[in-house]
Amino acid sequence: MEGYLRYRGDHFVQRFDANSYLYLTRALDYFDLSGDRLLSAGSGEPPKFLVIAFKSDWLYPAYQSKEIVNVLRGRRADVTYCEIQSTYGHDAFLLEFEQETTLIKHFLARVSNVHG
């Protein structure tokens, strides 16, 4: 087990800058969507939202993303929800980049066509 953890740790530092990781984790720690922080009721035309979840993510499970979607829809927001099947657990957002890229490209194309 120790060898596996060392291998994973060495592999991780080759792919990610430590300072970037610190900023990302700090942003996640302070990111709070509770109350009206997500989208204030009656705040004009809401932006379009794309919510992507990963079926195997144990840290941010898909049901939490669905709760966000339900709040947004309750406030009449235009929400697209996509759930990616993956076996990578929480690391899926780092490893399923091809599927994420495809979803984001399609979403941005749809949003840009609405206004253009």
Side-chain angles (χ1 to χ4, degrees):
M1 182 60 133
E2 187 176 325
Y4 172 76
L5 291 174
R6 184 176 297 112
Y7 166 77
R8 295 296 290 175
D10 290 343
H11 190 1
F12 182 80
V13 298
Q14 291 172 7
R15 295 183 328 188
F16 296 99
D17 174 67
N19 289 320
S20 295
Y21 188 73
L22 289 173
Y23 280 104
L24 284 171
T25 56
R26 179 173 291 156
L28 287 170
D29 288 342
Y30 290 114
F31 190 66
D32 181 4
L33 296 176
S34 62
D36 282 343
R37 291 183 181 108
L38 179 57
L39 179 66
S40 298
S43 61
E45 185 178 340
K48 313 284 188 253
F49 291 89
L50 171 62
V51 178
I52 299 174
F54 298 92
K55 187 80 173 167
S56 61
D57 190 340
W58 52 268
L59 186 57
Y60 299 107
Y63 79 86
Q64 290 178 339
S65 295
K66 289 177 186 175
E67 289 174 359
I68 292 169
V69 168
N70 289 335
V71 169
L72 289 167
R73 287 186 177 152
R75 296 194 178 155
R76 305 179 66 85
D78 181 348
V79 184
T80 300
Y81 175 77
C82 299
E83 191 170 294
I84 296 175
Q85 299 295 324
S86 177
T87 59
Y88 294 117
H90 181 63
D91 289 344
F93 80 101
L94 299 169
L95 301 169
E96 300 288 4
F97 55 88
E98 288 179 20
Q99 289 185 65
E100 289 173 276
T101 300
T102 300
L103 292 171
I104 293 168
K105 282 181 180 180
H106 286 277
F107 175 77
L108 291 175
R110 182 181 70 84
V111 171
S112 66
N113 285 336
V114 167
H115 297 290

